Amino acid sequence: MLEPTQYARTQERSIRWADLETLARQVRRQRYCRDVLYRGRAGRQLTLIDFKTTSSPDLPHFLATIEKYDYDRQAALYLDALGATRLLIIGVRKKAPHEVWRVELTNMLGLVGQGRKKYQRLLRAHAGALTNGSFTPATARLAA
């Protein structure tokens, strides 16, 4: 979905391709997570699956990383931007025995709503910075 050399538009009409491609460009430009590798329909639900590697020793520690790394914010943004109804995270432990955990973020009470508030607050702050002229693109900061 996010790498143009590997994914291309299909004939599926229910996908908002322009929105998806805009998100993909922003993700690539900002170097955000590129691991949302699969989108599929289960019945009438659009499901996104995000693969994460983790150093967490067990599932409870992995669940604690959801807030630490703002996966709730990421989930809400992906769900809203792509019009999906479900987001699953597949956590794969980096060290042997390489345990695999499946977590459905959309089933976690209040999590997506919390993430939505986070990303909307950031968007408002960004819009305010653009409006009052205090926004400096990363490329300008690097050149200084």
Side-chain angles (χ1 to χ4, degrees):
M1 170 172 64
L2 300 179
E3 299 298 335
T5 58
Q6 298 175 15
Y7 301 94
R9 287 187 179 197
T10 66
Q11 297 302 317
E12 189 171 345
R13 296 174 190 249
S14 62
I15 294 175
R16 295 183 299 209
W17 288 107
D19 293 343
L20 182 64
E21 290 163 349
T22 298
L23 176 64
R25 280 192 301 277
Q26 291 169 348
V27 167
R28 282 192 303 275
R29 183 173 41 249
Q30 299 298 325
R31 304 226 188 312
Y32 291 124
C33 170
R34 297 178 184 197
D35 295 332
V36 178
L37 298 176
Y38 175 79
R39 66 178 194 290
R41 289 202 178 273
R44 300 186 87 150
Q45 294 185 334
L46 178 61
T47 301
L48 301 174
I49 300 175
D50 188 356
F51 293 85
K52 306 277 189 202
T53 57
T54 181
S55 299
S56 300
D58 53 36
L59 179 59
H61 284 93
F62 179 65
L63 292 174
T65 66
I66 290 171
E67 234 177 288
K68 179 179 179 183
Y69 296 118
D70 286 322
Y71 294 161
D72 56 337
R73 185 181 68 205
Q74 176 187 344
L77 178 65
Y78 285 175
L79 290 167
D80 292 349
L82 301 175
T85 50
R86 295 175 66 214
L87 190 131
L88 307 174
I89 288 183
I90 306 297
V92 181
R93 190 169 174 212
K94 291 179 182 180
K95 295 182 180 178
H98 305 290
E99 296 170 274
V100 177
W101 303 297
R102 177 186 172 272
V103 179
E104 185 165 349
L105 295 185
T106 43
N107 280 349
M108 299 175 79
L109 188 62
L111 187 86
V112 173
Q114 171 183 299
R116 191 170 284 123
K117 287 178 184 176
K118 287 179 179 180
Y119 90 72
Q120 288 174 346
R121 183 175 54 247
L122 289 172
L123 287 175
R124 282 191 301 274
H126 180 68
L130 289 174
T131 302
N132 68 27
S134 64
F135 175 73
T136 305
T139 53
R141 288 191 303 264
L142 293 174

